């Protein structure tokens, strides 16, 4: 091979290397179109104000439990909506299956004392199950019950004017709808049962002609449960929003990824991967429990012990 052939081959290699480097630099410097930032106009539900509520509801806020359906607990028929009278031999009551059935937006009016603010009246409806037990722990019966909580709050929603909205987005309709100047209300709520107790009609020792509930001098002999008081924990978020056109900075459209493919899971493989639940057979002591320590045996630790 002559010196000219070696020289030509080196020149071609250098040229290919330079071409590849230029191509790589252009690819790194060029921002993909889908990732390029730009300003887009969107139709959005703009939140003007919001608040979160954490309320502990007792008999003072929601009153005694009422029947969600007609039921007979042995002391007569209780119609829907009436106060639940527990069975005479009931010694305790528990509450479960509690949920927020619905939240009713009762009213929404401009605040007369603060311009741009709105007074909102809400009604929370809770449904749950009450289970009555006698002194020995045996279940006497259960009943579906409900409670209502009324709430008023004030949020900023700004001011506006009436306008006409027409769209064929929903149900293929093209009807025009007149929207007033009010902002819209959205409520998110989550409730949990905290306690339930029987309330008795008892007679005071000093005046047995008048019935009292609680107090220092009470004769418990012969007292019957008269109603049920529940305690409910309520978390809620209330928002005021309007339909607005917003200009936002985006990176273009979102392109979904391809779905991942998973092999079918073998039940035995899944079971074998679990830690041995030693806490079931040897519950942790108080110090370990409060510290979050566990006696469970991991698969790596267990290997070689008894195999």
């Amino acid at each position: 091979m002559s010196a000219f052939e070696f020289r030509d081959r080196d020149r071609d290699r250098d040229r290919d290397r330079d071409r590849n480097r230029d191509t790589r630099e252009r690819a790194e410097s060029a921002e993909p179109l889908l990732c390029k930032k730009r300003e887009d106009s969107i139709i959005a539900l703009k939140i003007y104000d919001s608040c979160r509520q954490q309320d502990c509801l007792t008999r003072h806020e929601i009153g005694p439990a009422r029947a969600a359906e007609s039921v007979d607990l042995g002391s007569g028929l209780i119609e829907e909506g009436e106060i639940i009278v527990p069975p005479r031999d009931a010694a305790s009551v528990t509450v479960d299956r509690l949920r927020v059935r619905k939240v009713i937006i009762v009213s929404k009016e401009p605040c007369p004392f603060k311009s741009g603010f709105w007074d909102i009246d809400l009604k929370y409806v809770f449904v749950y199950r009450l289970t009555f037990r006698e002194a020995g722990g045996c279940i006497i019966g259960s009943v579906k019950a409900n409670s209502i909580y009324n709430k008023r709050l004030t949020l900023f929603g700004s001011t506006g004017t009436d306008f006409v909205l027409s769209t064929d987005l929903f149900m293929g309709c093209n009807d025009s709808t007149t929207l007033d100047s009010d902002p819209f209300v959205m409520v998110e709520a989550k409730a949990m049962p905290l306690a339930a107790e029987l309330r008795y009609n008892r007679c005071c020792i000093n005046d047995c002609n008048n019935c009292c509930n609680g107090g220092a001098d009470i004769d418990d002999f012969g007292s019957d449960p008269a109603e049920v008081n529940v305690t409910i924990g309520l978390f809620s978020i209330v928002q005021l929003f309007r339909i607005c056109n917003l200009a936002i900075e985006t990176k273009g459209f979102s392109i979904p990824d391809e779905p991942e493919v998973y092999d079918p899971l073998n039940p035995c493989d899944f079971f074998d991967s679990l830690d041995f639940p030693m806490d079931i057979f040897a519950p942790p002591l108080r110090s370990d429990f409060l510290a979050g320590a566990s006696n469970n045996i991991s698969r790596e630790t267990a290997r070689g012990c008894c195999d």
Side-chain angles (χ1 to χ4, degrees):
M1 184 178 293
S2 65
F4 294 103
E5 292 177 348
F6 279 112
R7 194 179 306 113
D8 292 341
R9 188 177 60 182
D10 293 339
R11 188 184 308 111
D12 293 340
R13 185 173 58 250
D14 294 340
R15 185 170 55 250
D16 292 340
R17 185 174 59 252
D18 294 340
R19 186 184 302 113
N20 293 335
R21 185 176 62 250
D22 294 341
T23 302
R24 185 171 60 255
E25 291 177 353
R26 284 196 302 268
E28 292 176 353
S29 61
E31 190 175 14
L33 181 61
L34 292 177
C35 298
K36 189 175 182 179
K37 293 183 179 180
R38 59 173 180 264
E39 187 176 276
D40 287 333
S41 179
I42 64 170
I43 299 174
L45 305 179
K46 175 72 171 67
I47 298 174
Y48 277 71
D49 198 4
S50 63
C51 69
R52 69 176 186 268
Q53 304 279 320
Q54 183 173 340
D55 299 311
C56 185
L57 309 179
T58 64
R59 59 180 294 267
H60 301 290
E61 290 82 21
I62 58 180
R66 296 180 178 271
E69 57 189 13
S70 299
V71 65
D72 189 350
L73 295 175
S75 57
L77 182 65
I78 303 175
E79 297 290 347
E80 180 180 351
E82 293 182 348
I83 295 177
I84 296 176
V85 179
R88 298 190 60 180
D89 53 348
S92 64
V93 61
T94 57
V95 56
D96 61 357
R97 298 183 183 179
L98 184 142
R99 64 183 178 89
V100 181
R101 182 171 177 266
K102 59 182 176 179
V103 181
I104 303 173
I105 302 173
V106 179
S107 65
K108 176 186 56 181
E109 299 293 339
C111 180
F113 308 109
K114 299 175 68 175
S115 178
F117 285 79
W118 297 77
D119 294 329
I120 307 167
D121 289 310
L122 304 173
K123 178 179 291 186
Y124 297 83
V125 181
F126 307 97
V127 293
Y128 46 89
R129 184 182 67 172
L130 296 175
T131 302
F132 299 96
R133 288 179 169 83
E134 60 182 18
C138 296
I139 296 178
I140 302 173
S142 60
V143 58
K144 186 177 180 181
N146 62 25
S147 296
I148 294 177
Y149 172 55
N150 295 303
K151 178 83 172 181
R152 163 167 280 208
L153 47 86
T154 301
L155 293 175
F156 177 77
S158 192
T159 58
T161 183
D162 300 348
F163 65 95
V164 174
L165 173 66
S166 181
T167 177
D168 59 355
L169 175 62
F170 305 105
M171 302 295 293
C173 298
N174 197 22
D175 296 334
S176 297
T177 302
T178 301
L179 301 179
D180 53 27
S181 60
D182 300 0
F184 297 98
V185 180
M186 185 171 71
V187 182
E188 302 173 78
K190 173 65 177 179
M192 60 178 60
L194 300 180
E197 61 180 359
L198 300 176
R199 189 164 182 258
Y200 294 86
N201 284 334
R202 298 168 174 171
C203 291
C204 295
I205 295 176
N206 297 331
D207 186 6
C208 286
N209 293 325
N210 296 323
C211 186
C212 65
N213 297 291
D217 299 324
I218 295 178
D219 181 12
D220 290 335
F221 181 78
S223 58
D224 294 330
E227 59 189 32
V228 179
N229 294 327
V230 297
T231 303
I232 299 174
L234 174 64
F235 298 98
S236 62
I237 297 177
V238 185
Q239 299 173 332
L240 281 186
F241 66 93
R242 294 179 180 272
I243 301 176
C244 300
N245 295 326
L246 297 180
I248 62 173
E249 188 179 76
T250 72
K251 291 186 177 181
F253 296 102
S254 175
I255 306 300
D257 296 329
E258 294 184 358
E260 297 185 19
V261 179
Y262 297 96
D263 295 330
L265 183 64
N266 186 297
C268 289
D269 292 341
F270 170 74
F271 179 79
D272 291 339
S273 66
L274 299 177
D275 294 345
F276 188 86
M278 197 63 196
D279 286 343
I280 297 178
F281 304 96
L285 300 176
R286 179 178 179 180
S287 57
D288 295 335
F289 180 81
L290 296 178
S294 174
N295 295 320
N296 293 344
I297 304 174
S298 65
R299 292 298 299 172
E300 286 71 16
T301 305
R303 286 197 178 113
C305 293
C306 302
D307 295 341

